[in-house]
Amino acid sequence: MRPELILLAVVVGLFTWTFRFVPTRLKLSRTDADTFLRRFLVATGPAAIATLFVASVLPLAKPDIAEIAPLALGILAVLAAHLVRPSVVLSTLAGALAYGLATLAF
Amino acid sequence: MSETQAPSSSFRAGLVMSIPVVLGYFPIAVAFGVAATRAGLSPAEAVMFSVVIFAGAAQFLALTLVTSGAPLVLTAVTLIVMNLRHVIYGPVLLEKAGRHAGARHAWAWAWCLTDEVFATTLGALMRGRRFSERLVGGIGLGAYLAWIAGTAVGVLAGESAFEAWPVLDAALGFMLPSLFLALLLSFLDKTQLLTVAAAALATVLGTFLVSPSVGILAGMILGAAIGALKRASQ
């Protein structure tokens, strides 16, 4: 293995771990005061997951029926599965299966 | 025994909850393994990247930068900045955990706190599951092992890994968007619609006007800020 690649991986890995770990020690969140920071952290949950969903579908959303139709059917399958039975695992699998099958049809 | 060892938030429960993430990660990691060998990394170097960095988008970008001959310092700084968004994940989970919050072993589970592990854990908490370090550790370890295994398969099998199963290949490619939407639906209510809409709009604008990384950061920060302001006005 090349030493420069090992160094790069170790430095980036260490910083990434620091970003993920150090804030858990700051005890920013464990307060009873209704501060803006606390409200911000509470609101970050839905904002973060909505962001990750949009960010993950944007590369798939192209003006081409072969791309957009499987995407639309995949999303609809997740919605339909959620209405039938609100299970994250089943809804996820239903969406992925619908998307996979739709790529055959379009 | 402490409450955090209750079955509903056990390590095994975390592993089970990691299944959608595992299914989503595996093909992406295979793709990384293939791309890494194409970029000139040895099999050991490719797997080492996944073991030591464990950040998908950053690893793909690393390949681009390394093969383009970018200076090592510039490459490192670019990748580090790209992962800066992870600073909010721990505090958000611990805030949601409430009186069950615990970070004694955060040095271990935080290693695996990727976007998807964070989202899966948060979704579980928002649906009423109690936080435990074992739970997030189980979700994280499942994801981590899938990432490493997928990279190894990509390195060894090359592009032919899913060639014989095109439907499976396509389905696995949609696993993560499907997971994020299912998680969002699992706890969404009317009071969060403005937050979600603001986050979505900011993500789209940030992505198209600047870059996908900025889009993610803008979506999370602006969505949360608007959500916090709305809560303050209520």
Side-chain angles (χ1 to χ4, degrees):
Chain A
M1 282 198 270
R2 284 166 284 180
E4 66 271 22
L5 287 185
I6 296 175
L7 180 64
L8 175 67
V10 168
V11 169
V12 174
L14 198 60
F15 269 93
T16 303
W17 174 76
T18 302
F19 292 155
R20 292 170 180 171
F21 166 61
V22 170
T24 67
R25 315 303 293 179
L26 298 180
K27 300 188 178 178
L28 290 172
S29 57
R30 278 151 281 177
T31 167
D32 291 331
D34 187 27
T35 60
F36 180 81
L37 178 59
R38 185 169 193 182
R39 290 193 296 269
F40 182 87
L41 289 174
V42 169
T44 299
I49 295 180
T51 294
L52 292 171
F53 168 65
V54 173
S56 65
V57 296
L58 279 181
L60 305 173
K62 293 170 184 161
D64 175 359
I65 189 72
E67 300 274 355
I68 207 79
L71 174 61
L73 289 173
I75 289 173
L76 284 174
V78 175
L79 293 170
H82 177 76
L83 289 175
V84 173
R85 188 178 170 190
S87 154
V88 171
V89 174
L90 291 180
S91 300
T92 302
L93 294 176
L97 182 64
Y99 182 89
L101 291 173
T103 57
L104 275 186
F106 292 95
Chain B
M1 289 292 176
S2 69
E3 285 183 88
T4 55
Q5 288 177 315
S8 59
S9 295
S10 65
F11 180 78
R12 179 183 285 194
L15 279 179
V16 171
M17 288 172 60
S18 77
I19 289 172
V21 181
V22 167
L23 293 173
Y25 270 12
F26 192 79
I28 300 172
V30 170
F32 173 76
V34 171
T37 48
R38 270 191 194 166
L41 269 66
S42 70
E45 287 169 342
V47 175
M48 181 269 294
F49 261 49
S50 285
V51 171
V52 177
I53 299 180
F54 189 34
Q59 287 180 223
F60 278 100
L61 185 59
L63 294 182
T64 308
L65 292 169
V66 166
T67 52
S68 70
L72 197 63
V73 172
L74 176 67
T75 303
V77 169
T78 305
L79 301 179
I80 288 165
V81 169
M82 195 175 178
N83 289 334
L84 197 55
R85 68 182 183 279
H86 293 168
V87 296
I88 62 171
Y89 291 172
V92 168
L93 289 182
L94 293 176
E95 167 64 33
K96 194 65 198 167
R99 67 186 180 89
H100 297 293
R104 188 176 171 195
H105 302 293
W107 58 270
W109 56 258
W111 175 261
C112 300
L113 208 50
T114 60
D115 295 332
E116 293 75 17
V117 171
F118 161 73
T120 302
T121 308
L122 184 66
L125 299 182
M126 296 188 83
R127 292 192 306 279
R129 194 177 289 249
R130 205 174 56 229
F131 177 88
S132 82
E133 293 192 277
R134 287 180 175 80
L135 180 78
V136 63
I139 298 170
L141 185 63
Y144 186 45
L145 294 179
W147 187 251
I148 295 169
T151 304
V153 168
V155 164
L156 297 173
E159 288 171 81
S160 62
F162 297 114
E163 220 167 52
W165 304 289
V167 172
L168 177 66
D169 189 22
L172 291 175
F174 192 67
M175 194 65 75
L176 292 181
S178 191
L179 171 65
F180 290 135
L181 180 57
L183 285 169
L184 190 60
L185 291 172
S186 71
F187 61 77
L188 192 64
D189 63 39
K190 277 193 295 187
T191 63
Q192 294 160 339
L193 288 179
L194 183 64
T195 303
V196 167
L201 184 62
T203 307
V204 172
L205 291 177
T207 299
F208 285 118
L209 296 177
V210 189
S211 73
S213 289
V214 170
I216 290 175
L217 207 56
M220 289 184 185
I221 292 174
L222 290 178
I226 287 175
L229 290 172
K230 184 168 180 280
R231 279 171 180 267
S233 68
Q234 285 173 341

